[in-house]
Short mmCIF file of all heavy atoms in Angstrom, two decimals:
data_model
loop_
_atom_site.label_atom_id
_atom_site.label_comp_id
_atom_site.label_asym_id
_atom_site.label_seq_id
_atom_site.Cartn_x
_atom_site.Cartn_y
_atom_site.Cartn_z
N LEU A 401 24.17 -1.33 2.94
CA LEU A 401 23.45 -1.12 4.20
C LEU A 401 24.07 -1.97 5.29
O LEU A 401 24.25 -3.18 5.12
CB LEU A 401 21.98 -1.48 4.02
CG LEU A 401 21.24 -0.71 2.92
CD1 LEU A 401 19.90 -1.38 2.62
CD2 LEU A 401 21.02 0.74 3.34
N SER A 402 24.38 -1.34 6.40
CA SER A 402 24.96 -2.10 7.50
C SER A 402 23.92 -2.97 8.17
O SER A 402 22.71 -2.72 8.06
CB SER A 402 25.58 -1.15 8.54
OG SER A 402 24.55 -0.46 9.24
N ARG A 403 24.37 -3.98 8.87
CA ARG A 403 23.44 -4.84 9.61
C ARG A 403 22.67 -4.04 10.65
O ARG A 403 21.49 -4.29 10.89
CB ARG A 403 24.20 -5.99 10.26
CG ARG A 403 24.74 -7.02 9.27
CD ARG A 403 25.62 -8.06 9.96
NE ARG A 403 26.01 -9.11 9.04
CZ ARG A 403 27.05 -9.01 8.20
NH1 ARG A 403 27.76 -7.88 8.16
NH2 ARG A 403 27.36 -10.01 7.39
N GLU A 404 23.33 -3.06 11.26
CA GLU A 404 22.67 -2.23 12.26
C GLU A 404 21.56 -1.39 11.63
O GLU A 404 20.47 -1.24 12.19
CB GLU A 404 23.68 -1.32 12.96
CG GLU A 404 24.65 -2.04 13.90
CD GLU A 404 25.75 -2.79 13.13
OE1 GLU A 404 25.93 -2.55 11.91
OE2 GLU A 404 26.44 -3.61 13.77
N GLN A 405 21.84 -0.82 10.44
CA GLN A 405 20.82 -0.05 9.73
C GLN A 405 19.61 -0.92 9.40
O GLN A 405 18.46 -0.51 9.58
CB GLN A 405 21.39 0.51 8.42
CG GLN A 405 22.29 1.71 8.54
CD GLN A 405 22.82 2.11 7.17
OE1 GLN A 405 23.66 1.44 6.59
NE2 GLN A 405 22.29 3.21 6.65
N ILE A 406 19.88 -2.10 8.91
CA ILE A 406 18.80 -3.01 8.52
C ILE A 406 17.99 -3.42 9.74
O ILE A 406 16.75 -3.43 9.72
CB ILE A 406 19.37 -4.25 7.81
CG1 ILE A 406 20.05 -3.82 6.49
CG2 ILE A 406 18.27 -5.26 7.54
CD1 ILE A 406 20.85 -4.92 5.83
N LEU A 407 18.68 -3.74 10.82
CA LEU A 407 18.01 -4.17 12.05
C LEU A 407 17.09 -3.07 12.57
O LEU A 407 15.92 -3.32 12.92
CB LEU A 407 19.04 -4.55 13.11
CG LEU A 407 18.54 -5.42 14.28
CD1 LEU A 407 18.15 -6.80 13.79
CD2 LEU A 407 19.62 -5.52 15.34
N ASP A 408 17.59 -1.84 12.60
CA ASP A 408 16.77 -0.72 13.09
C ASP A 408 15.57 -0.46 12.20
O ASP A 408 14.46 -0.20 12.69
CB ASP A 408 17.62 0.56 13.18
CG ASP A 408 18.61 0.53 14.33
OD1 ASP A 408 18.50 -0.38 15.18
OD2 ASP A 408 19.51 1.39 14.36
N ALA A 409 15.76 -0.54 10.87
CA ALA A 409 14.69 -0.21 9.94
C ALA A 409 13.61 -1.27 9.89
O ALA A 409 12.42 -0.96 9.80
CB ALA A 409 15.26 0.02 8.54
N VAL A 410 14.01 -2.53 9.94
CA VAL A 410 13.07 -3.64 9.75
C VAL A 410 12.49 -4.14 11.06
O VAL A 410 11.30 -4.46 11.15
CB VAL A 410 13.75 -4.78 8.97
CG1 VAL A 410 12.79 -5.96 8.81
CG2 VAL A 410 14.21 -4.29 7.60
N TRP A 411 13.31 -4.20 12.08
CA TRP A 411 12.85 -4.74 13.37
C TRP A 411 12.54 -3.64 14.38
O TRP A 411 11.88 -3.88 15.38
CB TRP A 411 13.88 -5.69 13.95
CG TRP A 411 13.83 -7.06 13.36
CD1 TRP A 411 13.14 -8.15 13.85
CD2 TRP A 411 14.46 -7.51 12.14
NE1 TRP A 411 13.32 -9.22 13.02
CE2 TRP A 411 14.12 -8.88 11.96
CE3 TRP A 411 15.27 -6.91 11.20
CZ2 TRP A 411 14.57 -9.63 10.89
CZ3 TRP A 411 15.72 -7.64 10.13
CH2 TRP A 411 15.37 -8.99 9.97
N GLY A 412 13.02 -2.43 14.12
CA GLY A 412 12.75 -1.31 15.02
C GLY A 412 13.91 -1.06 15.97
O GLY A 412 14.62 -1.99 16.38
N GLU A 413 14.10 0.22 16.32
CA GLU A 413 15.23 0.59 17.16
C GLU A 413 15.16 -0.02 18.55
O GLU A 413 16.18 -0.18 19.22
CB GLU A 413 15.32 2.11 17.26
CG GLU A 413 15.64 2.78 15.92
CD GLU A 413 15.78 4.28 16.05
OE1 GLU A 413 15.68 4.78 17.19
OE2 GLU A 413 16.00 4.94 15.02
N SER A 414 13.95 -0.36 18.99
CA SER A 414 13.80 -0.92 20.33
C SER A 414 14.05 -2.43 20.37
O SER A 414 14.02 -3.04 21.44
CB SER A 414 12.39 -0.62 20.88
OG SER A 414 11.40 -1.21 20.06
N TYR A 415 14.26 -3.03 19.19
CA TYR A 415 14.46 -4.49 19.14
C TYR A 415 15.75 -4.86 19.86
O TYR A 415 16.80 -4.26 19.64
CB TYR A 415 14.53 -4.94 17.68
CG TYR A 415 14.72 -6.44 17.50
CD1 TYR A 415 13.72 -7.33 17.83
CD2 TYR A 415 15.93 -6.94 17.02
CE1 TYR A 415 13.88 -8.69 17.67
CE2 TYR A 415 16.11 -8.31 16.85
CZ TYR A 415 15.08 -9.18 17.17
OH TYR A 415 15.27 -10.53 17.00
N ALA A 416 15.67 -5.86 20.73
CA ALA A 416 16.81 -6.21 21.56
C ALA A 416 17.64 -7.34 20.97
O ALA A 416 18.60 -7.79 21.59
CB ALA A 416 16.32 -6.62 22.96
N GLY A 417 17.29 -7.79 19.76
CA GLY A 417 18.02 -8.90 19.16
C GLY A 417 19.38 -8.49 18.63
O GLY A 417 19.78 -7.32 18.68
N VAL A 418 20.13 -9.48 18.12
CA VAL A 418 21.47 -9.23 17.61
C VAL A 418 21.45 -9.18 16.09
O VAL A 418 20.49 -9.60 15.44
CB VAL A 418 22.43 -10.35 18.08
CG1 VAL A 418 22.56 -10.33 19.60
CG2 VAL A 418 21.93 -11.72 17.62
N THR A 419 22.55 -8.65 15.51
CA THR A 419 22.60 -8.49 14.07
C THR A 419 22.60 -9.82 13.34
O THR A 419 22.33 -9.87 12.14
CB THR A 419 23.84 -7.68 13.66
OG1 THR A 419 25.02 -8.31 14.21
CG2 THR A 419 23.76 -6.25 14.19
N ARG A 420 22.89 -10.90 14.05
CA ARG A 420 22.84 -12.23 13.44
C ARG A 420 21.44 -12.51 12.89
O ARG A 420 21.27 -13.27 11.94
CB ARG A 420 23.22 -13.27 14.49
CG ARG A 420 23.09 -14.73 14.05
CD ARG A 420 24.02 -15.07 12.92
NE ARG A 420 23.89 -16.46 12.51
CZ ARG A 420 24.31 -16.93 11.36
NH1 ARG A 420 24.90 -16.13 10.49
NH2 ARG A 420 24.16 -18.21 11.06
N THR A 421 20.42 -11.86 13.48
CA THR A 421 19.05 -12.00 12.99
C THR A 421 18.96 -11.61 11.52
O THR A 421 18.26 -12.26 10.73
CB THR A 421 18.10 -11.10 13.82
OG1 THR A 421 18.15 -11.51 15.18
CG2 THR A 421 16.67 -11.21 13.32
N VAL A 422 19.66 -10.54 11.14
CA VAL A 422 19.66 -10.09 9.75
C VAL A 422 20.25 -11.17 8.85
O VAL A 422 19.70 -11.50 7.79
CB VAL A 422 20.45 -8.78 9.60
CG1 VAL A 422 20.54 -8.36 8.13
CG2 VAL A 422 19.81 -7.67 10.43
N ASP A 423 21.38 -11.76 9.27
CA ASP A 423 22.04 -12.80 8.46
C ASP A 423 21.12 -13.99 8.23
O ASP A 423 21.06 -14.55 7.12
CB ASP A 423 23.32 -13.26 9.14
CG ASP A 423 24.34 -12.14 9.31
OD1 ASP A 423 24.31 -11.22 8.48
OD2 ASP A 423 25.12 -12.19 10.27
#
Side-chain angles (χ1 to χ4, degrees):
L401 302 167
S402 71
R403 290 174 175 84
E404 290 76 13
Q405 283 178 287
I406 296 170
L407 198 67
D408 287 349
V410 178
W411 279 266
E413 294 183 3
S414 61
Y415 180 69
V418 296
T419 55
R420 175 64 180 162
T421 299
V422 176
D423 298 332

